[in-house]
Amino acid sequence: MASESATVRGKSRGRSRLLLPVGLSLSLFILLISLVASITYGAADISFDTVYAALTDFDGSTDHLIIRTVRLPRSLIAMLVGAALGVAGVLMQGLTRNPLASPGILGVNAGAAMAVVIAVFLFGSSSLSVYAWCAFGGAGVTAITVYLLGSLGRGGLTPLNLTIAGAALTALLSSLTTAILILSQQTLDEIRFWLAGSVAGRDFTLFLQVLPYIGIGLAIAFALGKQMTTLTLGDDVAKSLGQQTLWVKLTAAVSVVLLAGSAVAAAGPIGFIGLVVPHIVRFLVGVDYRWILPYSAIFGAILLLVADITARVLISPQELPVGVMTALVGAPFFIYLARFKVRR
Amino acid sequence: MRKSWLVIRPRLLPLSFRLERRVPTVLFVLVLVTLLAIVINVGQGEYPIPPLAVLKTIVGLPTANPDYAFIVNVLRLPRTLVAFGVGVGLAISGTILQGLTRNPLADPGIIGVNAGASLAAVSLIVLFPDVPLFALPLSAFAGALVVAILIYLLAWDKGSSPIRLILVGVGIAAILGALTNLMVTFGEINSVSQALVWLAGSVYGRGWQHVGALFPWLAVFLPLSLALSMQLNTLSLGEDLARGLGARVEWQRGLLLLMSAAMAGAAVAVAGTIGFVGLMAPHLGRQLVGPNHEGLMPTAALIGGLIIVLADWLARVLFAPIELPCGAITAAVGAPYFLYLLVRNRKR
């Protein structure tokens, strides 16, 4: 047993020296391909050369306009939102040490969504900065509530307690959201596509507006890599190694709220990216959060881009909300995890 | 000690009930309170009717005002009856689920049974707006049943485990939620609006045809679940002990799950997803008559009915003339109660 774990450790060290950077650049390359594919495929048939020309040598033709004002911002936002959700999921799973944690399951998305619906209902506002701040508020309050509720249950923060608390809160929030939507059909019409989770019809200013929030969130997350790795050893060990666990947790929580909140503000509640990505990444990379975090960002971006392309192509010229796509793919994965990865 | 139990053993049926002495009294009081609540709910509203006149109208005696008959018999009474029936259904469903999963936090809304019923019914409303009313409970029941079976099968791993049941249920609920969203996104706005009203859980505008759609289900499944409540006692001791006592665990579990799905499906079909009733009613019932399921089942059923009748009354009176869906009221009360349950659980 001892020798086995020694070889595992040796292998993972070898992995981290050589394979991990190579893998990172490889996945960056895949991300680039997905981005190009996302810009190229769509309802209007536009050749790759035209896409290239539109980006480098803009001439104002319809095709170029489509690329620049419709597809490019949409793809960039999908990329950004995917990265944010992936990293938020990793942080949540690391913080709660729970393989089922993710912004969607634990109700953080639902909280952000409800805050936005309330804002639209009360102020009729559709400006993104209002969306964003409401979404942050909603996400933050819900995250804290779920965490408290989950840790109050019997046996502390078990996956079951946390998941049930999240599910109950989601039920409550979505029923209240529905009640608001009933009172105002105008709000319903304005917001229903957004509620399903979609990156369609987003323009470039939106990208620029969410960029700083997600940028800060990602920066905080990446800076926490080493501390998060220590934290996975357990609170006691981390404390005895001299870590101020409370501060690490709080900072990570701020990052989660920034990332999940702005992702919801930009694209509506898109579930399951934050659940699936950490598992794939941990399977490939191991336990070192200094590598897990950047990998998760890239994988999240790839996953959402691919899901968005599929959502567009599957029933073209109509398109599905991408949130529905990710739920249909991600929920079976959740069930798989619940069956095989959760042990009591 | 012997005197504290009441044993009922009908000669013709292979059944026996062992109740605590206080159960009949509690049930009697609950019936009185429920009747009172029904009378109040029927009497109050835009057009107030004195309680005595309500009683007279229901029984069929002539009253001072000929309008009363229309308002009571056509508008308010069926609606209140639907509210009561829905509460009974959800409460029984919740009691069974909590007993089966041995988890005090289980509820048909939290594990995807309600979501299945919702999806089936919303699809029906959105895709076939002209479908007759009696089809709605059927499709909702089918949805709830398919989901219950699916959850049961997916949670199967050399025997079913309560924890996996719940987690798998949450996952399934997510898929169903996504599909319901799909319906809401692509449907025609008017039928979507209608479907949403229905989704939020409301007994607004329910008439005798809804009573007719709901009560047959209750008439069939209520006695059945009462008959099975003894088995639930054994099952809630835990799988090993139940098997040791000679229970056919998987068979009984399957049967009870079917009951639970039928009750939840029928309730969701006429009133949409009214949350947290299936969670609250069994707990309140347990505080009144203790954990013995033979006494708990009817008590919880009455409490469930009472909760929704009261919630509907509040929803109508609170912001009159605007009417809230009563699902919003039960959620607003149920969520804090849920929190209280979590905290109390920790202390034990």
Side-chain angles (χ1 to χ4, degrees), chain A residues 100 149 152-153 160 164 168 172 175 178 182 185 188-189 192-193 196 272 318-321 324 327 331 334 338-339 344, chain B residues 103 154 156-157 163-164 167 171 174-175 178 182 184-187 189 192-193 196-197 200 331 335 338-339 342-343 346:
Chain A
L100 300 180
L149 277 174
L152 284 177
L160 186 69
I164 289 195
L172 171 69
S175 93
T178 317
I182 287 171
Q185 199 179 52
L188 168 64
D189 216 12
R192 61 178 176 158
F193 207 78
F272 292 101
Q318 281 255 38
E319 58 178 74
L320 293 165
V324 171
F334 174 87
R339 280 202 60 164
R344 289 263 293 202
Chain B
N103 189 317
L154 283 172
W156 185 279
D157 184 20
I163 292 156
R164 272 200 306 271
L167 289 177
I175 303 181
L182 198 63
V184 171
T185 312
F186 285 111
I189 184 74
V192 164
S193 207
L196 265 187
V197 168
F338 182 83
L339 186 140
L342 267 169
V343 176
R346 179 179 64 150

Side-chain angles (χ1 to χ4, degrees), chain A:
Chain A
M1 207 51 206
S3 69
E4 192 183 329
S5 76
T7 50
V8 168
R9 203 180 304 139
K11 207 164 95 189
S12 79
R13 192 176 295 151
R15 224 198 240 169
S16 71
R17 277 210 192 116
L18 207 93
L19 278 178
L20 287 179
V22 176
L24 200 65
S25 33
L26 195 68
S27 38
L28 269 175
F29 183 64
I30 298 175
L31 174 63
L32 197 67
I33 293 177
S34 323
L35 188 64
V36 171
S38 166
I39 298 174
T40 313
Y41 290 111
D45 209 9
I46 300 173
S47 75
F48 180 72
D49 293 339
T50 326
V51 172
Y52 184 73
L55 295 180
T56 53
D57 181 23
F58 183 63
D59 67 358
S61 68
T62 318
D63 282 358
H64 284 203
L65 269 175
I66 289 178
I67 296 293
R68 280 216 155 184
T69 59
V70 180
R71 295 214 188 138
L72 182 64
R74 175 182 185 155
S75 307
L76 286 177
I77 284 174
M79 193 175 83
L80 207 58
V81 167
L85 288 172
V87 172
V90 159
L91 285 179
M92 286 180 93
Q93 294 190 3
L95 280 179
T96 57
R97 291 201 272 139
N98 176 347
L100 300 180
S102 82
I105 300 282
L106 296 193
V108 173
N109 284 355
M114 180 163 121
V116 172
V117 170
I118 289 179
V120 173
F121 173 65
L122 289 182
F123 312 118
S125 158
S126 50
S127 92
L128 185 93
S129 55
V130 178
Y131 272 28
W133 284 108
C134 294
F136 291 149
V141 171
T142 325
I144 294 167
T145 317
V146 168
Y147 193 83
L148 284 179
L149 277 174
S151 52
L152 284 177
R154 187 166 41 186
L157 267 182
T158 61
L160 186 69
N161 277 339
L162 208 60
T163 313
I164 289 195
L169 213 63
T170 309
L172 171 69
L173 292 172
S174 53
S175 93
L176 292 181
T177 307
T178 317
I180 296 172
L181 291 181
I182 287 171
L183 291 177
S184 151
Q185 199 179 52
Q186 194 192 341
T187 314
L188 168 64
D189 216 12
E190 204 166 294
I191 220 165
R192 61 178 176 158
F193 207 78
W194 177 87
L195 262 185
S198 164
V199 286
R202 308 296 198 260
D203 60 10
F204 205 73
T205 43
L206 183 98
F207 173 73
L208 291 179
Q209 276 173 318
V210 285
L211 189 60
Y213 300 118
I214 293 186
I216 294 171
L218 287 178
I220 296 176
F222 291 157
L224 282 176
K226 208 169 136 194
Q227 282 81 353
M228 284 301 292
T229 314
T230 316
L231 204 59
T232 50
L233 299 172
D235 271 19
D236 296 342
V237 178
K239 257 181 211 148
S240 65
L241 285 173
Q243 188 183 86
Q244 294 198 300
T245 48
L246 187 68
W247 277 110
V248 174
K249 282 182 178 172
L250 275 180
T251 325
V254 168
S255 162
V256 167
V257 168
L258 275 175
L259 291 171
S262 42
V264 173
I270 295 179
F272 292 101
I273 298 273
L275 177 81
V276 177
V277 165
H279 287 278
I280 301 175
V281 169
R282 271 200 303 266
F283 175 73
L284 291 174
V285 177
V287 293
D288 189 346
Y289 273 82
R290 283 172 300 178
W291 289 104
I292 290 179
L293 286 164
Y295 265 96
S296 301
I298 296 172
F299 274 52
I302 295 175
L303 209 61
L304 193 56
L305 277 173
V306 171
D308 186 43
I309 297 172
T310 324
R312 267 184 286 167
V313 174
L314 216 56
I315 53 164
S316 73
Q318 281 255 38
E319 58 178 74
L320 293 165
V322 69
V324 171
M325 272 309 295
T326 57
L328 292 183
V329 179
F333 186 77
F334 174 87
I335 292 170
Y336 158 79
L337 288 176
R339 280 202 60 164
F340 300 111
K341 298 284 171 182
V342 176
R343 294 270 176 267
R344 289 263 293 202

Side-chain angles (χ1 to χ4, degrees), chain B residues 212-223:
Chain B
L214 173 63
F215 277 72
W217 291 82
L218 292 184
V220 174
F221 287 103
L222 191 62

